[in-house]
Amino acid sequence: LSVLNDPRQPGDVPDCLARFREGAQTLHYEVSRMRADGTPVWVSVTQSPLTDLSGALLGASSIARDITDRRQAEHQRGILMNELNHRVKNSLAVVQAIASQTLRGDISLPEARVAFSERLRVLARAHDLLVTSNWSGTDLASVIEATVEPHKGGQSRFSISGPYVALRPQIAVTFCLALHELCTNAAKYGALSVPEGRVDITWTVTESADKARLWWQWTESGGPPVNAPVRKGFGSSLIEQVLPMELFGEVTVTYPATGVVCILDSPLPGLDP
């Protein structure tokens, strides 16, 4: 018990004898103390009065249990719950934005229902990727492979090549959603709308004296001639505004007759916030 009554750490150990004289039967409390080697320890203390046959107080018994592991587990659980709460709120905000943008404009209700469901599936796919890494992040190639998989049609319609690039969770989610919009547009109007169409996805990382940059490109070929859209909706906003904002970069989308070309030029994202 010397660790509990260390005079260098006063203030949170009650005067048990005074409390017992006032009629208390038992005292139970948890206290943080320092071991002799300087490491912290949490202990759970139960104190009971010791009396003679007449009931006169003679002293007190104390039982102390080391609960350091339990307190650390409770602290960790609190951190995890706060993190989960933060992620759920972020996910709900993304769903709300998807719903709002999907239902905006002159899209019919059946079309909106299909588009909304597909976008939610992409969001779920991105979350699946992040769960495997305990939400510490993922990499660009994994994001691309997972997002384009439903659009392959059992064929090798995508050529994907580039070095390893780590992505933070929020950037990975945004990349999944943006890439899904490119795939959807290609399936409706571009290279993925015909059997012979192909999509090349390539990226490189360039190093300079003070920073590294990511150059990412989507190129369609073999599809019908394309034209720039007359009206830009959620997909265009996500690709041309949200994605570059998340990455502090620039996105350009062009519509040559051979197929859509989308280029992203940004600082290398990495896993650091």
Side-chain angles (χ1 to χ4, degrees):
L1 289 177
S2 61
V3 72
L4 300 179
N5 299 304
D6 187 341
R8 296 169 298 174
Q9 306 175 81
D12 53 6
V13 177
D15 185 343
C16 63
L17 295 179
R19 295 284 297 277
F20 293 148
R21 291 190 187 101
E22 294 171 356
Q25 294 302 306
T26 58
L27 296 176
H28 179 75
Y29 56 91
E30 296 178 359
V31 62
S32 175
R33 279 293 180 250
M34 300 293 290
R35 296 187 178 94
D37 61 3
T39 60
V41 58
W42 275 95
V43 290
S44 172
V45 183
T46 301
Q47 295 178 321
S48 304
L50 296 176
T51 61
D52 60 16
L53 294 177
S54 66
L57 183 66
L58 299 176
S61 68
S62 291
I63 300 174
R65 295 181 296 112
D66 186 340
I67 59 168
T68 304
D69 289 344
R70 193 201 80 194
R71 290 297 293 252
Q72 289 176 343
E74 290 173 350
H75 177 69
Q76 184 65 23
R77 184 163 59 248
I79 293 175
L80 292 175
M81 288 302 296
N82 288 336
E83 180 64 19
L84 177 61
N85 183 50
H86 176 70
R87 290 173 185 170
V88 169
K89 287 182 177 178
N90 282 347
S91 296
L92 290 176
V94 173
V95 172
Q96 184 179 31
I98 291 174
S100 175
Q101 294 295 329
T102 301
L103 297 173
R104 181 176 298 176
D106 57 0
I107 187 172
S108 68
L109 186 58
E111 290 175 319
R113 186 181 297 113
V114 171
F116 182 65
S117 296
E118 289 178 349
R119 286 163 179 163
L120 287 187
R121 278 196 290 270
V122 173
L123 183 61
R125 200 173 300 124
H127 283 197
D128 286 342
L129 277 176
L130 294 169
V131 166
T132 60
S133 64
N134 291 322
W135 278 80
S136 61
T138 184
D139 67 281
L140 182 55
S142 296
V143 165
I144 294 171
E145 291 283 358
T147 308
V148 305
E149 180 62 33
H151 300 274
K152 287 183 176 180
Q155 306 175 41
S156 300
R157 309 191 66 183
F158 290 86
S159 173
I160 301 170
S161 63
Y164 179 87
V165 174
L167 297 179
R168 298 192 297 275
Q170 185 57 43
I171 292 178
V173 170
T174 304
F175 230 117
C176 275
L177 292 170
L179 192 56
H180 167 72
E181 297 302 326
L182 285 169
C183 289
T184 300
N185 184 73
K188 288 181 177 180
Y189 314 109
L192 300 181
S193 66
V194 294
E196 60 271 20
R198 288 182 55 83
V199 177
D200 293 321
I201 304 175
T202 60
W203 65 96
T204 59
V205 174
T206 57
E207 302 280 352
S208 63
D210 57 343
K211 58 185 177 181
R213 295 192 69 83
L214 169 67
W215 177 274
W216 181 90
Q217 182 166 328
W218 161 288
T219 306
E220 297 180 29
S221 61
V226 297
N227 298 302
V230 176
R231 182 182 64 86
K232 293 189 176 183
F234 172 72
S236 296
S237 298
L238 186 65
I239 296 165
E240 298 179 32
Q241 298 177 27
V242 179
L243 184 60
M245 181 176 65
E246 288 277 359
L247 289 162
F248 301 99
E250 296 180 357
V251 168
T252 57
V253 182
T254 55
Y255 300 88
T258 52
V260 172
V261 176
C262 177
I263 296 174
L264 164 70
D265 179 18
S266 77
L268 190 65
L271 288 176
D272 296 328

